[in-house]
């Protein structure tokens, strides 16, 4: 039906698509997979006639039912396209946020398609739109019809986009990363929906994605693109199970998969978690005491349990603050050395969180800035306090521990409280109840977006030295000479696998993967013992993703680092983490060994998350 | 298009540098040496038209206009630079603190700047001058005060934008000191925007200073300034137009040159992706 023959597209002399030939048959789903910059989107946009005017087709042509849509050397002919676009072919975009007009009701926007392409009357159009909304799983069709895009969730918006794309029963649907911006469970629903539509309406689908799992599940055939060339095509099974090209092999291998074995790091953690297994995850103080026999710990426990009792009856104000005062003074700083040595034996928690509830409050904090700072400085923030004001609870009674050298995965969909929890642990949110005990120096965080997490005005070397300078300024015993700092920074740069010549460069000269390496180096240079990684690989291409994950595992091994690994990608978590914690709507609903949780998920929601991908 | 912008030297920058450069050199030289004395009068050479002896002619007292323009140029640029320097400095300090910390201080400072913005700036300077008295340093003080709000707004906006950037959040996590975050981590990222406003501010200061001297509250005669030369010359517009043309065109030259210069800088910066 669609034939792309020897297509090359160039932007101002640089070819971004090189001699691509593809064929799409009636009723078939063809996946185009590849990393960012591989030319997959440009290919699709050229097919749709939506590519910008700066792009020139230098060779080849595109045929739709043997009619030439686009040919080398000729500009895009809108008259031809007008006949096909909408009625015969339509597109679903990646960003449901921006692809709907925010000032028009969803229903009106879909109606417009019908008004332009059919001669139906107003009432017929309305009925048809509502029918289509039903068909794409928007069961509350009337309400959606009358809603503005901002009143709809991401998944619903994407369904509206799909409704818009399928309402005329086009023979070709181009879906450009339609699920990338969505949560895993929603992602599955959308994929199922696309599959259903394909089955019912028998339209051909061009599905563009960087997610190989998705491509494998949905597509009949797959084309792998790299640097503008199609390196391999074939049925999904052929390509993924028996890739013939090196690049495809690398790509497939790079994808974190739970079928594959894990690296050696798991061996060590196995012992660790064995000890943990008998005490269970909702530990009793006794079990823990028996487990490691460190004198400080029971004391700490006692304090902890006392607090949680008090917090239970938090309506009776003053008491709590008293107790936390006491604890701040008594249980605080003296503990650190003992715990440190215990840490190296591999049994003491680097972080323990007890009965933690996190609130979001609009009003000002009743804690003064000074108090808050003071608590943060002591590394042991015992933030239990009373909330007279109404605050929205975003995390309920979280209860977990992280041990030295262990990584704990935190999975859940957006808005489930993952970020709020991590902020509370880092002391960035003081609206908390319960307790958080750190036994490491101040934890650091690696952010998701490598492009915004490095100061663009500074050189890499400066950035790496800054944590050392800050630590030195805070605690004179940690102060280092300029030369020492520089050596440490260079050393760290090497450890994250980067050449020393990057020392004097600025972040803008680095690629995403390199920036993430620098980010990691910056977080680890003070040897914090514990870091929080918030989706550290989600913004990266698969092959880069794999490298960064390797690096993480290597550094964890070397530095005996505990890590709270936040991700929505269940496969990444499987690869990286010893234990995982599933979070839903502010509650931690399941905790356990990674293997165990994956093999025998207890909760329905966990199953949904796992089956999803 | 992209390539043209990507050049290190674009035509705006080039023209701007040449024009501003000539003005700056003349102005600086004017402080130390002028072809003739700027105050020596000569009844014999009153109102002589531009010639080789007097390239811009002479005025009603027979003073050489070229020399006076040189001296006036220097005075105007010195005053404008100082005004921009002081108000820019105050703008950075206030903008940084209010933008980053917010709260009560922010409210108070912003309401004051709102109040200042509520009056025409020239009127406000007049009021301040009438309180302080005329004279060069009072002109600088009053204009600096009036120029502060625009800098505060720009700097504050940038600090608000950047205070929640990931890299600043990380700096906080490293327990970098507050003022170090403010002036070492954030400030360098504000400069690209700040420079543009400094350049616009400089141009406005030139115009404002000329205007005030024209009104007789800036540089006092017999000292030369572009503004008071204009005001002296307005009686002889018909008979000796060069008396007004020379300082007038000099102001245009200076402002145009500097505008081109700042536009060139801006284009270069945006081409470099800053």
């Amino acid at each position: 039906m669609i034939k792309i023959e020897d297509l090359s597209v160039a932007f101002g002399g640089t070819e971004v698509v090189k001699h691509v030939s593809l064929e799409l048959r009636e009723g078939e789903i063809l996946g185009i997979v590849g990393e960012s910059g591989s030319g997959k989107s440009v290919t699709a946009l050229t097919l749709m006639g939506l590519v910008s005017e700066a792009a020139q087709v230098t060779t080849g042509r595109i045929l739709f039912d043997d009619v030439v849509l686009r040919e080398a050397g000729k500009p895009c002919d809108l008259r031809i396209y007008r006949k096909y676009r909408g009625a015969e072919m339509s597109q679903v975009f990646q960003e449901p946020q921006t692809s709907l007009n925010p000032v028009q009701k969803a229903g009106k926007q879909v109606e417009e398609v019908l008004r332009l392409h059919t001669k139906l009357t107003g009432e017929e159009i309305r009925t048809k739109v509502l029918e289509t909304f039903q068909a794409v799983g928007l069961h509350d069709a009337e309400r959606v019809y009358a809603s503005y895009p901002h009143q709809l969730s991401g998944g619903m918006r994407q369904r509206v986009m799909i409704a818009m794309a399928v309402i005329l029963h086009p023979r070709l649907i181009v879906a450009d990363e339609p699920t990338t911006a969505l949560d895993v469970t929603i992602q599955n629903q959308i994929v199922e929906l696309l599959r259903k539509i394909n089955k019912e309406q028998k339209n051909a689908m061009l599905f563009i994605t960087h997610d190989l799992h998705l491509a494998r599940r949905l597509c009949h055939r797959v084309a792998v693109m790299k640097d503008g060339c199609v390196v391999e095509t074939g049925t999904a099974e052929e390509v993924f199970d028996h890739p013939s090209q090196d690049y495809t092999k690398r790509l497939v291998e790079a994808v974190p998969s739970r079928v594959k074995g894990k690296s050696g790091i798991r061996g060590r953690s196995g012992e660790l978690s064995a000890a943990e297994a008998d005490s269970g995850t909702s530990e009793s103080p006794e079990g823990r005491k028996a487990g490691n026999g460190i004198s400080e710990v029971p004391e700490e426990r006692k304090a902890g349990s006392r607090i949680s009792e008090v917090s239970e009856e938090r309506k009776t104000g003053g008491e709590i603050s008293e107790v936390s005062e006491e604890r701040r003074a008594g249980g605080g700083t003296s503990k650190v050395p003992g715990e440190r040595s215990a840490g190296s034996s591999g049994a003491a928690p680097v972080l323990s969180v007890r009965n933690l509830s996190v609130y979001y409050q609009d009003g000002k904090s009743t804690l003064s800035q000074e108090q808050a700072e003071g608590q943060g400085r002591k590394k042991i923030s015992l933030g239990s306090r009373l909330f007279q004001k109404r605050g929205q609870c975003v995390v309920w009674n979280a209860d977990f521990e992280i041990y030295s050298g262990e990584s704990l995965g935190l999975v859940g969909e957006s808005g489930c409280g993952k970020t709020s929890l991590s902020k509370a642990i880092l002391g960035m949110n003081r609206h908390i109840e319960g307790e958080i005990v750190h036994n490491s120096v101040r934890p650091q965080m690696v952010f998701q977006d490598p492009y915004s997490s490095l100061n663009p005005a500074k050189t890499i070397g400066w950035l790496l030295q800054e944590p050392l300078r800050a630590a030195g300024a805070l605690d004179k015993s940690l102060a280092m000479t300029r030369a020492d700092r520089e050596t440490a920074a260079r050393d760290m740069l090497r450890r994250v696998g980067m050449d020393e010549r990057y020392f004097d460069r600025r972040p803008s000269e680095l690629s995403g993967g390199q920036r993430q390496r620098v980010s990691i180096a910056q977080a680890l240079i003070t040897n914090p013992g514990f870091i929080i990684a918030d989706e550290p690989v989600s913004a990266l291409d698969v092959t880069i993703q794999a490298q960064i994950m390797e690096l993480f595992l290597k550094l964890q091994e070397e530095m005996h680092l505990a890590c709270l690994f936040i991700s929505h990608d269940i496969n990444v978590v499987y690869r990286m983490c010893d234990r995982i914690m599933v979070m839903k709507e502010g509650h931690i609903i399941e905790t356990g060994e990674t293997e165990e949780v994956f093999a025998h998920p207890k909760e329905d929601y966990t199953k949904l998350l796992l089956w999803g991908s | 298009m992209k390539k043209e912008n990507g050049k290190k030297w674009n035509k705006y920058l080039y023209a701007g540098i040449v024009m501003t450069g000539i003005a700056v050199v003349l102005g600086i030289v004017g402080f130390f040496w002028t072809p003739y004395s700027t105050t020596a009068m000569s009844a014999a050479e009153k109102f002589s038209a531009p010639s080789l002896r007097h390239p811009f002619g002479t005025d009603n007292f027979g003073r050489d206009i070229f020399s006076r323009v040189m001296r006036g140029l220097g005075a105007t640029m010195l005053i404008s630079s100082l005004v921009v320097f002081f108000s820019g400095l105050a703008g950075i300090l206030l903008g940084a603190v209010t933008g980053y910390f917010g709260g009560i201080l922010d409210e108070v400072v912003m309401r004051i700047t709102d109040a200042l913005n509520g009056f025409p700036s020239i009127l406000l300077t007049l009021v301040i001058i009438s309180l302080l008295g005329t004279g060069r340093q009072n002109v600088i003080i009053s204009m600096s005060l009036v120029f502060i709000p625009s800098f505060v707004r720009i700097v504050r906006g940038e600090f608000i934008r950047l205070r929640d950037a990931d890299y600043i959040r990380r700096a906080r996590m490293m327990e970098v000191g507050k003022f170090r975050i403010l002036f070492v981590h954030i400030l360098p990222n504000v400069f690209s925007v700040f420079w543009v406003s400094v350049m616009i501010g400089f141009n406005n200061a030139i115009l404002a200073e000329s205007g005030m001297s024209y009104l007789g509250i800036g540089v006092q005669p017999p000292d030369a300034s572009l503004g008071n030369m204009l005001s002296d010359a307005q009686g002889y517009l018909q008979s000796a137009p060069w008396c007004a043309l020379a300082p007038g065109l000099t102001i245009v030259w200076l402002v145009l040159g500097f505008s081109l210069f700042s536009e060139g800088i801006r284009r270069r910066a945006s081409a470099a992706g800053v």
Side-chain angles (χ1 to χ4, degrees), chain B residues 82-127:
Chain B
L82 287 174
V83 164
V84 170
F85 177 77
F86 288 130
S87 54
L89 199 64
I92 284 181
L93 290 174
L94 284 173
V97 172
T98 56
Y100 188 74
F101 295 114
I104 280 286
L105 182 70
D106 181 37
E107 280 302 317
V108 172
V109 172
M110 288 329 282
R111 293 300 79 79
I112 292 173
T113 61
D114 282 347
L116 286 178
N117 274 338
F119 298 100
S121 55
I122 196 88
L123 196 69
L124 207 59
T125 0
L126 281 173
V127 171

Side-chain angles (χ1 to χ4, degrees), chain B residues 50 65 129 143:
Chain B
I65 293 180
I129 293 249
M143 276 173 59

Side-chain angles (χ1 to χ4, degrees), chain B residues 74-217:
Chain B
T76 300
M77 281 194 299
L78 182 69
I79 291 173
S80 306
S81 316
L82 287 174
V83 164
V84 170
F85 177 77
F86 288 130
S87 54
L89 199 64
I92 284 181
L93 290 174
L94 284 173
V97 172
T98 56
Y100 188 74
F101 295 114
I104 280 286
L105 182 70
D106 181 37
E107 280 302 317
V108 172
V109 172
M110 288 329 282
R111 293 300 79 79
I112 292 173
T113 61
D114 282 347
L116 286 178
N117 274 338
F119 298 100
S121 55
I122 196 88
L123 196 69
L124 207 59
T125 0
L126 281 173
V127 171
I128 299 171
I129 293 249
S130 67
L131 291 174
L132 298 174
T134 54
R136 215 173 270 192
Q137 50 294 36
N138 291 343
V139 168
I140 293 173
I141 292 170
S142 60
M143 276 173 59
S144 299
L145 283 175
V146 171
F147 273 65
I148 288 173
S150 64
F151 290 121
V152 173
R153 283 193 176 276
I154 282 158
V155 175
R156 175 177 173 269
E158 285 295 293
F159 269 78
I160 287 176
R161 186 173 69 84
L162 292 173
R163 74 176 170 201
D164 289 323
D166 281 351
Y167 55 86
I168 300 304
R169 280 164 53 196
R170 295 190 60 175
R172 277 200 289 268
M173 266 175 235
M174 292 170 207
E175 308 235 10
V176 177
K178 278 189 205 121
F179 287 93
R180 192 172 165 84
I181 289 186
L182 238 53
F183 297 112
V184 179
H185 287 252
I186 302 184
L187 193 58
N189 292 296
V190 174
F191 269 134
S192 59
V193 176
F194 182 68
W195 279 130
V196 175
S197 69
V198 161
M199 291 180 180
I200 294 166
F202 185 72
N203 266 344
N204 289 339
I206 289 171
L207 292 174
E209 192 280 327
S210 304
M212 290 195 347
S213 294
Y214 174 82
L215 292 173
I217 53 174

Side-chain angles (χ1 to χ4, degrees), chain A residues 376-377 379 423 426 428 442 444-445 447 452-458 462 466-467 469-470 474 519 522-523, chain B residues 3 101 103 165-178 180-181 183-186 188-189 273:
Chain A
R377 291 269 155 81
K379 320 296 188 240
K423 273 189 178 169
L426 289 165
M428 290 162 84
R442 193 158 173 79
Q444 294 297 317
M445 188 157 171
F447 286 100
S452 68
S453 55
L454 296 176
N455 193 334
K458 304 293 180 185
W462 190 94
E466 186 63 7
R469 273 190 290 257
L474 220 60
S519 264
Q522 205 187 10
Chain B
K3 266 190 180 148
F101 295 114
D166 281 351
Y167 55 86
I168 300 304
R169 280 164 53 196
R170 295 190 60 175
R172 277 200 289 268
M173 266 175 235
M174 292 170 207
E175 308 235 10
V176 177
K178 278 189 205 121
R180 192 172 165 84
I181 289 186
F183 297 112
V184 179
H185 287 252
I186 302 184
N189 292 296

